[in-house]
Amino acid sequence: MSSIVVRVNCDAKSLVGISSIGRREKSVKVCSRIRFGSGGAVVAEPKRSSEERVYEVVLKQASLVREEKRGVNIEFDLQKTIEGDCSNGDILNSAYDRCGEVCAEYAKTFYLGTQLMTQERREAIWAIYVWCRRTDELVDGPNSSHITPTALDMWEQRLTDVFESRPYDMFDAALSHTVSKYPVDIQPFKDMIEGMRMDLRKSRYNNFDELYLYCYYVAGTVGLMSVPIMGIAPESKASTESIYNAALALGIANQLTNILRDVGEDARRGRVYLPQDELAQAGLSDEDIMSGKVTEKWRNFMKGQIKRARMFFDEAEKGVSELSSASRWPVWASLLLYRQILDSIEANDYDNFTKRAYVGKVNKLLSLPAAYGIALFGPKKLTKLFMR
Ligand SMILES: CC(C)=CCC/C(C)=C/CC/C(C)=C/CC/C(C)=C/[C@@H]1[C@@H](COP(=O)(O)OP(=O)(O)O)[C@]1(C)CC/C=C(\C)CC/C=C(\C)CCC=C(C)C
Ligand SMILES: [Mn+2]
């Protein structure tokens, strides 16, 4: 049987990515070999790691920003889709206001953080926040038992409409406006929906590669959506890709932290988001998780998982100072706050079965000025100031 081999040689520079966090792989040359058998059927395709797949999205979003290629900026007529007797400007203002209200209601600290951004950026971040929250609510909210893959397909169609300036409601209208104004690619949004699909069909992850992909879908995507809005500092010398990598890392770090905090809660819903091969290596099984006993094996396993989450936070730190000055504070605040959840798991002696790790009010309050200081002086200078 004859087969045609199509070889796609990729630009080596475009494939310089993070591999196994902390180790930067230089010029990894990857050739995708797509084989078509008789009748055009795909015969074999070498398996790419999740990191390689995700890195392609990073590159696409980064190049969109570099080229300052903006959305088509179609003047959309809100009157056609939203009833009301007022001008586009009025509708948009109240659409953004409502996004702000949702944000203030569901994510108070983060809402506070956005107050330091310019009004335009703040509103755009709110619009993205609301879309992410609504997407997550589909699979985690009160109606989640009725959500099918078809419902997610419809949500994705609606997303395409939003990107093509056909909003369905006020929240969509704010997002339509945002994505027409900033160089935001649709792919991370689609990928977040893919993450929700994954949640519907999958409750175990064989290895970290599978978990990494899930974390990218539901959280790394948020980093990629946010940076085009937050903006990169004009004086930054870092490459756009490296900044997007850091943003991706922050999302992954947050989601890994979420997973470690919620082990007990997830297990009670029949879900284990921990890599099965690593559990087995540690001599642990699903039954150990379901029984919820904190043993020495569990503590050791958790130490490794926490270490990995911290490495992603470290990777993220490298990019925060490259963001435009007004965007650094909320990002530092979210990084410092989320990272402390890991400290809290340790303080609970790794009992994430019956205790919920959280950041206390005092630490929360202290983190905000600390984040502000780091944003202003940089992490190194601030440490020096306090060491004197
Ligand atoms: C260079 C650099 C470091 C730039 C920073 C880039 C940046 C702003 C990254 C943000 C990362 C971030 C906040 C990711 C969110 C991760 C997260 C918690 C995802 C949650 C997914 C599902 O989890 P799960 O169901 O297990 O958990 P719950 O019990 O439901 O909580 C999410 C809930 C997905 C939906 C995400 C959101 C609602 C958050 C969206 C946030 C923004 C758009 C704003 C981000 C901006 C700032 C300033 C942090
Ligand atoms: Mn959720």
Side-chain angles (χ1 to χ4, degrees):
M1 188 177 76
S2 67
S3 65
I4 310 159
V5 177
V6 183
R7 197 180 274 258
V8 187
N9 267 319
C10 307
D11 166 18
K13 190 172 171 261
S14 69
L15 288 153
V16 179
I18 307 172
S19 191
S20 320
I21 198 78
R23 179 164 56 89
R24 217 160 256 281
E25 215 163 85
K26 293 251 155 55
S27 304
V28 191
K29 192 128 169 120
V30 176
C31 297
S32 309
R33 297 178 95 229
I34 310 160
R35 278 172 180 275
F36 297 100
S38 57
V42 174
V43 173
E45 195 185 342
K47 199 173 178 323
R48 285 179 308 151
S49 74
S50 297
E51 259 183 85
E52 281 164 359
R53 289 165 67 179
V54 170
Y55 198 61
E56 274 171 25
V57 187
V58 170
L59 291 174
K60 197 167 159 229
Q61 175 61 74
S63 74
L64 200 68
V65 170
R66 250 196 325 264
E67 291 162 25
E68 274 296 301
K69 214 197 281 167
R70 281 158 198 275
V72 268
N73 213 351
I74 304 164
E75 272 293 314
F76 54 86
D77 189 352
L78 292 171
Q79 299 283 3
K80 275 190 193 149
T81 44
I82 295 162
E83 281 175 33
D85 193 20
C86 46
S87 72
N88 275 4
D90 287 341
I91 297 175
L92 259 184
N93 283 339
S94 56
Y96 278 122
D97 286 349
R98 283 176 64 181
C99 290
E101 282 160 22
V102 174
C103 219
E105 170 82 17
Y106 287 90
K108 288 190 181 60
T109 321
F110 155 66
Y111 176 78
L112 191 70
T114 59
Q115 296 302 319
L116 259 202
M117 295 176 170
T118 60
Q119 186 184 347
E120 283 193 339
R121 283 184 179 155
R122 174 166 65 230
E123 291 178 342
I125 287 286
W126 291 342
I128 291 181
Y129 175 87
V130 169
W131 185 85
C132 292
R133 174 62 44 226
R134 289 175 108 185
T135 306
D136 184 59
E137 284 281 301
L138 291 177
V139 291
D140 269 356
N143 296 322
S144 58
S145 57
H146 306 293
I147 295 298
T148 58
T150 315
L152 290 176
D153 292 347
M154 284 163 73
W155 184 245
E156 185 163 337
Q157 180 52 53
R158 178 166 165 167
L159 171 75
T160 308
D161 288 343
V162 166
F163 269 73
E164 289 170 4
S165 301
R166 290 190 301 274
Y168 285 31
D169 66 14
M170 297 285 267
F171 296 123
D172 284 353
L175 186 62
S176 261
H177 183 250
T178 288
V179 301
S180 73
K181 224 168 113 184
Y182 293 93
V184 187
D185 188 24
I186 194 171
Q187 195 59 45
F189 292 81
K190 286 186 169 181
D191 286 345
M192 183 177 273
I193 300 175
E194 191 54 38
M196 304 305 155
R197 283 194 191 99
M198 214 168 187
D199 247 336
L200 289 187
R201 65 167 186 259
K202 196 170 157 97
S203 61
R204 296 292 182 281
Y205 293 81
N206 286 322
N207 47 44
F208 186 67
D209 189 65
E210 286 185 17
L211 183 63
Y212 177 89
L213 192 60
Y214 172 72
C215 292
Y216 157 69
Y217 282 150
V218 301
T221 47
V222 179
L224 304 191
M225 295 168 191
S226 308
V227 175
I229 314 291
M230 295 185 159
I232 295 172
E235 69 277 11
S236 168
K237 293 196 171 55
S239 69
T240 320
E241 289 94 330
S242 70
I243 300 170
Y244 275 91
N245 256 330
L248 168 70
L250 183 54
I252 307 261
N254 284 350
Q255 189 60 18
L256 289 175
T257 303
N258 243 354
I259 287 170
L260 299 180
R261 182 194 58 195
D262 297 342
V263 172
E265 195 184 310
D266 288 335
R268 285 186 282 280
R269 295 191 305 151
R271 310 192 148 271
V272 179
Y273 289 100
L274 302 163
Q276 292 289 323
D277 61 345
E278 295 178 19
L279 279 168
Q281 269 161 31
L284 293 159
S285 64
D286 262 17
E287 287 75 61
D288 292 303
I289 293 174
M290 298 305 164
S291 73
K293 276 205 196 89
V294 182
T295 59
E296 220 30 51
K297 274 185 192 167
W298 178 252
R299 286 190 188 93
N300 285 334
F301 172 76
M302 278 302 298
K303 281 177 194 169
Q305 302 296 313
I306 289 177
K307 188 172 172 192
R308 173 154 60 207
R310 287 196 173 123
M311 283 163 88
F312 278 96
F313 278 119
D314 292 347
E315 189 63 29
E317 277 200 6
K318 292 180 200 159
V320 192
S321 310
E322 310 299 333
L323 293 174
S324 69
S325 55
S327 303
R328 286 175 209 155
W329 183 51
V331 175
W332 274 117
S334 96
L335 192 153
L336 296 184
L337 285 169
Y338 242 86
R339 193 163 52 187
Q340 287 178 71
I341 296 176
L342 298 174
D343 304 339
S344 168
I345 298 174
E346 288 171 337
N348 286 343
D349 192 27
Y350 307 98
D351 182 0
N352 39 10
F353 299 115
T354 61
K355 293 181 182 157
R356 186 177 167 92
Y358 70 97
V359 183
K361 267 202 181 126
V362 176
N363 279 349
K364 248 189 195 166
L365 281 176
L366 288 175
S367 300
L368 296 180
Y372 188 66
I374 299 176
L376 216 57
F377 302 113
K380 283 191 190 134
K381 263 202 189 139
L382 196 80
T383 323
K384 265 191 207 154
L385 275 176
F386 282 112
M387 298 296 272
R388 262 185 215 156

